[in-house]
Amino acid sequence: MPSYMSPSSHSETESVKYVHTISEAGRLLPSASQWNSIEIDFNLVPQSSSEYGSLPSRYSKSFEYELIITDKQYFKRFLYISVSVVLLILVLILLVELLPHKHSRHGSSKNLTLAVNQALTFFDAQKSGNYPKNSPVKFRGDSGLQDGNSSTPPVHLVGGFYDSGNNMKFTFPTAYTMTLLSWTVIEYHQKYDDIQELGHVGIAKNDMSCWERPEDMDYERPVSICDSSASDLAGEIVAALSAASLVFKEDKDYSGKLVKSAEKLFEVATKEEPDRQGTYTRSDDACGRESSSFYNSSGHTDELVWGGTWLFFATGNVSYLGYATDAFDAAKSNETSIDNGILYWNNKLTATAILFTRLQFFHDLGYPYENAFGESSEMTDSLMCSYLGQNWDKTPGGLILQRSGNEAQLQFAATASFLSKLYSDYLQVLVRSGVNYILGDNPMKMSYMVGYGEQYPTQVHHRSASIPWDGNHYSCEEGERWFKSKDPNPNVVVGAMVGGPNHFDNFTDERGQPVFTEATISGNAGLVAALIALHHPPRHASHDKNGTHLGLDKTGLFENILF
């Protein structure tokens, strides 16, 4: 995860403020050394409890046969054929044992390991601040090193992640991205470890009018500051901090700091009077006014419920679960119809319902939570059935359209794949269809993840990718030339999932049409979540009582809860 997001230091009587960025670049996922793998010895050759081969049978008898060879030439031919057949059988056995097996249960020849690797690499291309020297992305460097200096008083805002192909940093979608990625590490850490990716996973007018690499920025970088009345922003940051604390659980000091910051922020956010609680992008508040045209929040109750739920998992304190379950009905009633059943940066209600359902399945706490748990279970069942039914429109190529209009549809398909796979492996066919569509199984025969497959978008709407990394400084005017160029990007932003096709499976690979070619960190988080959930089980995954091994950690999320 990137460095943890925490509120600025204030006394309890002061209004807590936090800013629209992440304070440091930090890690995306924990080091592989922070997880202890459990080795299981699989005895592929059955071992007998008694050596029957050494015991003579009480029914054994000896017989004598006399073999007469009448034609030596036929006998030699018989021996050659017999030896050849035996050798052929041995070769076939060796091939079966040594060649890679393609299990039919996986249902696809897609290289999901490569897909996960590349999807995570996209986040390397989005990093701001002091750029790591060992990054796999070679067309990026130090940028945004003065971020926060324009604030009064100045604050340290160097680091974090740029959003999409822009040079802006938004806390709201970044916090959602970190929560979602942390969730996948908690649930599927064995899969990440198996493919050696645990170590990987660490608004100005000028910004929009200037097509310029982040390394070349020389214009003012204004800072938006919010107080604790920005309830949705606070709730999402609490969720990110809490989920990250479970990812970094072996680093007790760091994990403890994450939890402490989350608890403090949740306390001040939930203590606000109801009439002061609201969204960070409300029109009368300068906090997120600039963000409203990019990530306009439609409500705040779902984020507070989401934050309270993750804080319960992080601490085991049932008071946080009590808050979340008590406020669940309010969050449900405030959900907009267009967001119903969708998980993305603006709506966390569906994901919360699945977490509640998970609790009910494995650790039903009973009173006073049963109403919220029961309602969540019904919501989840209905959602899963809707994926198989006719509730959603589909493109001719089979992509489920969960939102009307011209929005980037793949982010919704990715999170739907993640949630359905997490909830039930019986939805295997549906789950894989969304990811396979993204990776190239579509009418355009286009992989919508850059760098994956033989054909993928070449004009990604991305400043760093579209301007040559040649040591020269390019001004806004010079950058505009690259923006309008019809040539492929000089730099390949590997792993970026673009917006995707329209409702008729048609895709336009043009830099100037971001609805098709723009990639976002929140969209890629959903892709990573779907890919790791679909990935083959780790080689050393433990078997449950039913004999299956999914690579799912059934108890990791409940580690801090006493039953």
Side-chain angles (χ1 to χ4, degrees), residues 171-403:
T171 297
F172 193 50
T174 299
Y176 159 78
T177 298
M178 296 305 107
T179 307
L180 185 54
L181 288 176
S182 293
W183 189 5
T184 69
V185 176
I186 295 166
E187 302 279 24
Y188 295 114
H189 62 84
Q190 283 187 298
K191 289 188 179 184
Y192 276 113
D193 192 26
D194 198 54
I195 59 174
Q196 299 179 343
E197 280 293 354
L198 275 179
H200 195 164
V201 183
I203 311 180
K205 179 180 179 181
N206 281 343
D207 203 298
M208 291 310 297
S209 61
C210 176
W211 190 264
E212 190 175 42
R213 293 180 311 200
E215 291 81 3
D216 295 338
M217 292 184 299
D218 54 7
Y219 47 79
E220 184 179 356
R221 303 271 288 169
V223 176
S224 298
I225 299 179
C226 304
D227 61 23
S228 56
S229 64
S231 311
D232 50 358
L233 185 56
E236 189 57 68
I237 293 175
V238 167
L241 294 171
S242 301
S245 74
L246 292 171
V247 173
F248 293 106
K249 61 183 179 181
E250 299 208 1
D251 187 344
K252 296 187 181 302
D253 181 59
Y254 182 60
S255 179
K257 288 179 180 178
L258 294 175
V259 171
K260 185 177 181 180
S261 297
E263 288 188 300
K264 179 180 179 182
L265 183 56
F266 189 75
E267 179 183 4
V268 296
T270 53
K271 276 188 175 180
E272 287 284 1
E273 294 297 325
D275 60 343
R276 285 231 344 131
Q277 292 182 346
T279 64
Y280 83 110
T281 52
R282 51 184 175 233
S283 59
D284 61 340
D285 194 340
C287 157
R289 188 177 299 164
E290 295 293 340
S291 303
S292 60
S293 59
F294 301 94
Y295 292 98
N296 189 43
S297 177
S298 61
H300 67 278
T301 51
D302 62 315
E303 277 82 24
L304 287 178
V305 169
W306 177 243
T309 301
W310 278 107
L311 198 49
F312 163 66
F313 288 130
T315 64
N317 188 335
V318 293
S319 66
Y320 298 126
L321 180 63
Y323 177 92
T325 52
D326 288 345
F328 186 77
D329 278 339
K332 186 178 179 182
S333 63
N334 290 333
E335 183 184 37
T336 61
S337 59
I338 196 173
D339 282 347
N340 184 258
I342 300 175
L343 168 62
Y344 72 122
W345 58 265
N346 186 44
N347 185 29
K348 322 302 165 19
L349 187 68
T350 297
T352 302
I354 289 180
L355 285 174
F356 283 175
T357 303
R358 193 190 201 283
L359 268 170
Q360 185 184 46
F361 282 173
F362 299 112
H363 293 290
D364 191 351
L365 301 179
Y367 179 84
Y369 315 109
E370 67 269 23
N371 288 338
F373 285 1
E375 190 173 358
S376 296
S377 181
E378 292 178 4
M379 283 180 58
T380 302
D381 289 342
S382 177
L383 177 66
M384 296 301 145
C385 290
S386 74
Y387 290 150
L388 298 175
Q390 302 299 320
N391 297 46
W392 311 104
D393 292 332
K394 292 183 179 180
T395 68
L399 179 67
I400 291 179
L401 301 172
Q402 292 187 290
R403 287 283 294 270

Side-chain angles (χ1 to χ4, degrees), residues 128 189 446 537 558:
S128 178
H189 62 84
M446 169 78 72
F558 307 135

Side-chain angles (χ1 to χ4, degrees), residues 100-113 191 194 421 425 427-433 435-436 441 531-539 541 549-551:
H101 295 178
K102 291 185 178 180
H103 300 291
S104 59
R105 61 187 174 87
H106 294 142
S108 172
S109 60
K110 296 296 182 186
N111 186 342
L112 294 185
T113 297
K191 289 188 179 184
D194 198 54
K421 179 62 171 64
D425 285 313
L427 298 176
Q428 188 70 234
V429 175
L430 169 69
V431 174
R432 285 193 169 274
S433 65
V435 169
N436 287 346
D441 286 352
L531 289 172
I532 195 63
L534 284 167
H535 196 273
H536 297 183
R539 289 186 295 270
H549 55 293
L550 304 176

Side-chain angles (χ1 to χ4, degrees), residues 163-167 205-217 219 459-468 473-485 489-491 510-514 517-519:
D163 179 70
S164 309
N166 302 322
N167 294 342
K205 179 180 179 181
N206 281 343
D207 203 298
M208 291 310 297
S209 61
C210 176
W211 190 264
E212 190 175 42
R213 293 180 311 200
E215 291 81 3
D216 295 338
M217 292 184 299
Y219 47 79
Q459 291 194 34
V460 182
H461 184 89
H462 194 277
R463 284 166 172 77
S464 294
S466 67
I467 301 176
H473 179 283
Y474 293 99
S475 65
C476 295
E477 292 74 17
E478 293 170 322
E480 189 71 8
R481 174 168 60 91
W482 298 108
F483 172 67
K484 293 181 178 179
S485 171
N489 288 346
N491 307 305
E510 292 180 9
R511 196 176 298 108
Q513 297 202 40
T517 58
E518 188 171 42

